[in-house]
Amino acid sequence: MTRVQRTISLLCASCGFAAIAPILPAPRVEAAQTIYNTSPPSVIRVAIRENNASGEPDPRGRIIYVEAVPFATYCEDVLPNEWFPSWHPEALKAGAMAVKMFAWYHHLHPVTIDGFTFDVDNTTNFQHFQEMSSQPTTNAAFQAIQKLAYTKPNGEIVELNYSAGYENDPNWQYRNAQKMAQWGSEYWARKGQSYLQILQFYYQNRALMRLQ
Amino acid sequence: MKRHPSKRSVIIASLLASAIVVAIPTQPQIGALRHAHARTLHGAIAAMAPAGIDPVEQRTEAAPQAKPPVSEAPAPQPRARDAGNGKPGPGKVPVQPNPSGSKPKASNPSSGSSAGQAKPNASSGASPATPKPVPPPSPAAQGNDQPAGPESWGYTRKTAKLRIRVIDGRTKEPIDGAEVVLIETEQRFKTDAQGFTPWFDAPVIRNPKYRPMVAELHGQLGAIAYKDGYRDSIHLGIRVHEGIRQQTTIWMYKIGPADRRIEPVLYQEPYHHLWLIQLADKFRSHTQPGEGPERP
């Protein structure tokens, strides 16, 4: 192939790409959502899913309606259903932080399913929310971390994931997956670790921030 | 060839069988007087769990009240998981179901003493399934050293501070003056203007049928709320953890003119999902792993 032919073929290819460019989706440009450019949510939209036959919310059930719940109330009504209220206060504080940051992240990333736009649902698809189920011990843990956030060092809000884990075990494999093990939080708290040390163990490259 | 046994062999076999039957003790206390372990296990439900799950604190609590008989066998060590949950073992003699509502007479259920030992279904004549409606004294009145009921039914000596809030299910406003009955202890409470009952000592009762499988991580209670003009609300499965303050909410629904068939409303609180994960993992097989073991 001569140089002229190569140039012509390149020109044709460029024109072709230019012609289909409007059809192709544009790359998404997202600014990082940080604690500096977003405010803590005051309300969160919770999709209430249909109950199963035994009366419990079904993670695959139909969405019945979307309820706007005050953010603090939401966190307080999630924590006793995700962590045991009888656990060590430091484990509950670590759990409260994870519950709060998970909800905050999803508040910034709402989804639309079956025509409903919401931030989270009331099942273990997101976090197990049960209205008016707050407990004194878990409320105290949430109050203790209410003015704090656990984010990337630049303040970017990230989802703090967590999962059950194994009882009486440090659950190292969850640290590798950058998830907190709920049983692991209790294990470390009983070993004398503070909630910050527990968070630092499971989530790396994160920082504790004070909210203005 | 003889196809039937002779008369003599039939008679000998019958005599042997009779001798074996006679040799079986019908009064275990008599035969077990010399065997401490037999006395300890008498009356226990064998299917509950091995005798070694007695929590340490209960053994130490029981020690000053009565000395357990000296036994040659070494004391069984409590398992870590069960000790943390404070469950009684079946090595304890179950306390009388106590239909009269008075405090159980067994002074030390874990001592294994045969003197004053209450046998299940004995002497009182009343069935444990049909107790008299007389409310028993509250666990607070009994003192926290005694369970509110027979330990074989899952009662423990541990209590939690509980209060119950009663609200209108539609308006979510608190209901003043509703009567709340705790089913297990038959205690009655009235709600205040905020819909709360006073704090009270609630027994921590774990379902004994689950103890051999996986230690239940919280106890469960039931309550019924009554209020004029409202449907009765039955709230079952209230989660109770020993040693902390807890609260729960009962939702009541007003009886309207369109309500023709008026029946109680049931709300069953589910088990905590952390317990359900453990339960499912406990019996998972390699051939049918389902969703697989818990993993990150």
Side-chain angles (χ1 to χ4, degrees):
Chain A
M1 189 182 278
T2 64
R3 181 177 290 182
V4 176
Q5 283 174 325
R6 205 163 43 221
T7 312
I8 290 167
S9 60
L10 273 173
L11 273 172
C12 290
S14 318
C15 290
F17 279 122
I20 62 167
I23 305 166
L24 296 174
R28 296 178 67 188
V29 179
E30 281 185 0
Q33 289 165 314
T34 67
I35 56 169
Y36 306 113
N37 60 19
T38 63
S39 56
S42 55
V43 168
I44 189 166
R45 290 170 294 181
V46 184
I48 306 297
R49 286 191 182 268
E50 197 173 43
N51 284 355
N52 62 18
S54 61
E56 293 170 37
D58 183 357
R60 290 285 161 265
R62 207 163 41 89
I63 296 171
I64 303 170
Y65 60 94
V66 174
E67 186 178 4
V69 181
F71 188 72
T73 307
Y74 171 79
C75 293
E76 288 178 350
D77 282 345
V78 164
L79 191 54
N81 299 301
E82 290 289 354
W83 265 255
F84 277 113
S86 58
W87 278 2
H88 195 281
E90 294 300 317
L92 294 181
K93 283 185 208 168
M97 182 63 86
V99 164
K100 174 183 168 181
M101 297 313 297
F102 184 96
W104 192 345
Y105 174 84
H106 283 281
H107 175 71
L108 298 173
H109 299 84
V111 291
T112 301
I113 297 174
D114 296 341
F116 292 98
T117 300
F118 56 91
D119 304 328
V120 290
D121 73 12
N122 63 332
T123 71
T124 47
N125 291 333
F126 291 87
Q127 303 186 108
H128 190 172
F129 166 76
Q130 201 177 321
E131 199 171 358
M132 293 199 181
S133 62
S134 64
Q135 299 294 332
T137 52
T138 49
N139 289 357
F142 179 72
Q143 298 298 332
I145 58 100
Q146 197 169 16
K147 298 284 180 197
L148 301 169
Y150 202 62
T151 64
K152 278 189 179 178
N154 65 356
E156 186 180 339
I157 294 161
V158 286
E159 182 186 36
L160 292 191
N161 251 313
Y162 58 87
S163 184
Y166 290 92
E167 191 178 355
N168 294 326
D169 191 279
N171 288 282
W172 281 85
Q173 67 273 36
Y174 288 77
R175 171 193 167 97
N176 297 337
Q178 289 293 290
K179 264 186 178 184
M180 177 157 57
Q182 289 161 277
W183 278 112
S185 70
E186 170 69 354
Y187 172 87
W188 286 117
R190 296 277 169 208
K191 291 276 179 190
Q193 304 284 302
S194 71
Y195 78 96
L196 184 55
Q197 289 169 314
I198 296 168
L199 290 170
Q200 284 169 341
F201 176 79
Y202 286 110
Y203 304 114
Q204 285 155 326
N205 194 26
R206 302 279 183 271
L208 189 69
M209 300 287 193
R210 184 172 293 282
L211 299 172
Q212 297 300 323
Chain B
M1 192 175 83
K2 277 188 175 179
R3 302 187 66 185
H4 301 289
S6 65
K7 274 185 188 173
R8 195 169 60 177
S9 58
V10 168
I11 290 168
I12 289 170
S14 307
L15 284 173
L16 271 174
S18 310
I20 290 166
V21 167
V22 169
I24 295 171
T26 52
Q27 295 287 334
Q29 294 95 331
I30 298 169
L33 278 176
R34 275 173 253 144
H35 303 288
H37 67 279
R39 283 202 305 270
T40 310
L41 288 174
H42 172 59
I45 297 173
M48 304 286 277
I53 67 167
D54 284 5
V56 178
E57 58 271 23
Q58 289 190 9
R59 288 170 172 264
T60 49
E61 276 169 19
Q65 295 175 17
K67 264 188 185 174
V70 179
S71 169
E72 294 81 16
Q77 294 297 315
R79 291 191 308 210
R81 172 184 285 181
D82 297 326
N85 289 325
K87 284 193 232 345
K92 298 171 185 303
V93 178
V95 183
Q96 174 75 18
N98 195 10
S100 66
S102 62
K103 190 172 171 179
K105 285 288 181 190
S107 61
N108 180 13
S110 62
S111 69
S113 163
S114 61
Q117 170 182 316
K119 285 190 287 183
N121 305 327
S123 72
S124 69
S127 163
T130 56
K132 284 182 190 172
V134 179
S138 69
Q142 290 180 346
N144 288 345
D145 59 335
Q146 288 296 327
E151 295 184 22
S152 61
W153 290 8
Y155 285 80
T156 64
R157 299 158 191 225
K158 303 277 180 71
T159 57
K161 286 281 181 195
L162 181 69
R163 70 173 176 179
I164 297 173
R165 190 181 198 203
V166 180
I167 61 163
D168 185 302
R170 292 201 174 83
T171 64
K172 296 187 183 168
E173 292 294 318
I175 296 177
D176 184 11
E179 187 174 41
V180 179
V181 180
L182 194 68
I183 299 170
E184 283 76 4
T185 60
E186 300 178 22
Q187 293 167 277
R188 287 170 186 271
F189 307 97
K190 285 268 183 198
T191 56
D192 60 16
Q194 279 75 45
F196 283 111
T197 64
W199 291 101
F200 60 92
D201 286 312
V204 179
I205 303 170
R206 292 185 165 84
N207 193 339
K209 75 179 179 182
Y210 287 129
R211 284 166 53 194
M213 296 198 290
V214 57
E216 220 180 340
L217 297 172
H218 54 76
Q220 290 188 310
L221 291 177
I224 309 175
Y226 303 94
K227 172 75 181 170
D228 292 345
Y230 285 83
R231 288 170 184 257
D232 302 337
S233 275
I234 303 176
H235 192 87
L236 300 178
I238 301 167
R239 296 182 204 142
V240 190
H241 302 265
E242 49 269 84
I244 63 167
R245 283 176 175 259
Q246 285 169 277
Q247 59 193 25
T248 190
T249 306
I250 297 183
W251 306 53
M252 296 194 81
Y253 294 93
K254 214 169 230 176
I255 299 170
D259 291 337
R260 287 186 304 167
R261 185 168 169 176
I262 299 165
E263 291 185 356
V265 178
L266 169 68
Y267 177 68
Q268 175 89 42
E269 201 169 318
Y271 277 98
H272 201 288
H273 75 100
L274 288 181
W275 184 77
L276 297 177
I277 292 169
Q278 281 200 340
L279 184 67
D281 263 354
K282 175 92 177 170
F283 300 101
R284 196 181 305 286
S285 70
H286 294 293
T287 54
Q288 197 72 256
E291 65 184 35
E294 165 62 19
R295 60 190 180 280

